[in-house]
Amino acid sequence: ILSIHWSTEFQQLLADPLLIVSLGLVAGIILGTCRDQSRSLLPGVEEYNGKLERILADAMDGNFALPAPYHYRYSSNNWKLFALVGESIAAINVSIFMNGLLQPVLIRFASDSLVWRLVNATLDSPIGQYIALVGPWSAAFLVPLLAAIRETAKEPFDGIPAEYQGVLRAKQTAGAYFNMNAPKDVKHPIETTAAFQLLADGWIDKFEHVEAGAEWKQPVLAYAGSLACATAWQLSGGALVAPCLARVVAAAITYIILDEQESCRASVVLPSSLSDDDEPCC
């Protein structure tokens, strides 16, 4: 059980490449969609999937801030390539562990501890012929629990919700702050206060509708994405190429197809009376 026969994997791929690739693509789209929905719940909070690979891509791309802001990351094609390659390599390791090793072990465990008892109990029942499916599909539904548990074990959420409350407080106290600590190059603290409050309003307008409930929705989405990979492995006859391809496709959706350059910042155009030009200020 705890060994992978690579020659068999290659033969499986050659035997039915269309099915395996199709399952991998479908599972990858589902996983990529789940990851996108999870990130949208808490903009500004670093996604757990690919976190190390993104930081390594930041360093390789010459960023001094680790992790780098998203608008820096997604404006660099080199960063996208580094992150995609890093996650693709990680996808092989994750698929080998989750689907190549853990899932077969769970199938054997479920079969030995449960399925044979059910077979004996349903010998005279029409459903007896389907009992053998309990083992494989129990494993497929159990494996993704690791992804859900990982999400629940994260540090307390911060990011946009915490910053939103901070911006509200800063807006309310901006007048008093700039009157006592007027900028050196500004003659009228009132203009500085007005400019800051406009920036705060722009930020609040963009992020005040961030969806609540991420504490339970993110583990559910992580489970659904991992379940798609486990299902692809099961339906493909145990071909590792299917979940590997699914995770690579999800990474490609995240870094190549989706553009999250503006997902964590707000652009505000200040009136000419408050600034020297009308360039967006972030």
Side-chain angles (χ1 to χ4, degrees):
I1 283 181
L2 294 177
S3 62
I4 298 173
H5 301 286
W6 296 108
S7 59
T8 304
E9 293 288 337
F10 186 68
Q11 291 172 2
Q12 280 183 300
L13 178 60
L14 293 180
D16 200 345
L18 182 60
L19 173 65
I20 293 174
V21 172
S22 298
L23 288 171
L25 290 175
V26 172
I29 293 172
I30 295 173
L31 177 58
T33 303
C34 289
R35 289 182 59 176
D36 178 42
Q37 292 297 316
S38 181
R39 288 191 302 274
S40 68
L41 291 172
L42 285 175
V45 176
E46 189 75 16
E47 181 190 13
Y48 199 95
N49 284 330
K51 182 176 181 179
L52 175 60
E53 290 79 8
R54 285 191 295 275
I55 292 178
L56 291 175
D58 290 335
M60 294 176 66
D61 198 32
N63 292 314
F64 294 101
L66 300 178
Y70 266 51
H71 58 278
Y72 280 106
R73 287 175 165 179
Y74 278 85
S75 62
S76 170
N77 290 328
N78 287 337
W79 181 87
K80 294 179 183 180
L81 177 62
F82 294 149
L84 176 59
V85 171
E87 274 214 45
S88 298
I89 296 172
I92 299 174
N93 297 326
V94 173
S95 298
I96 289 174
F97 172 71
M98 296 280 283
N99 310 114
L101 297 178
L102 184 58
Q103 199 163 344
V105 168
L106 290 175
I107 291 175
R108 176 63 64 85
F109 177 78
S111 298
D112 292 344
S113 62
L114 178 64
V115 174
W116 287 114
R117 296 179 183 179
L118 292 176
V119 169
N120 293 331
T122 57
L123 286 176
D124 300 325
S125 173
I127 66 171
Q129 58 183 323
Y130 302 108
I131 293 300
L133 298 175
V134 172
W137 287 106
S138 296
F141 281 92
L142 286 173
V143 166
L145 287 175
L146 285 179
I149 292 171
R150 183 185 64 177
E151 288 292 329
T152 59
K154 291 192 305 187
E155 296 179 358
F157 292 123
D158 193 354
I160 294 298
E163 293 176 7
Y164 174 75
Q165 297 299 324
V167 170
L168 285 178
R169 291 191 297 269
K171 179 185 175 183
Q172 294 169 357
T173 59
Y177 177 83
F178 288 117
N179 278 323
M180 294 186 295
N181 302 276
K184 295 180 180 180
D185 298 332
V186 177
K187 296 181 180 179
H188 304 290
I190 295 177
E191 286 194 0
T192 304
T193 301
F196 181 88
Q197 290 177 338
L198 284 173
L199 291 174
D201 286 337
W203 201 94
I204 292 170
D205 287 342
K206 179 167 183 177
F207 294 113
E208 66 178 341
H209 302 298
V210 171
E211 190 173 357
E215 291 82 356
W216 65 267
K217 290 180 181 178
Q218 284 190 321
V220 170
L221 289 168
Y223 180 88
S226 185
L227 177 61
C229 295
T231 302
W233 182 86
Q234 185 62 48
L235 294 178
S236 66
L240 270 177
V241 173
C244 284
L245 178 60
R247 291 183 169 94
V248 172
V249 169
I253 291 173
T254 300
Y255 302 122
I256 305 301
I257 297 177
L258 297 178
D259 184 3
E260 301 196 2
Q261 192 168 347
E262 300 296 325
S263 63
C264 299
R265 68 173 183 174
S267 297
V268 181
V269 179
L270 297 178
S272 57
S273 60
L274 298 176
S275 64
D276 294 332
D277 49 46
D278 288 332
E279 291 296 323
C281 184
C282 303

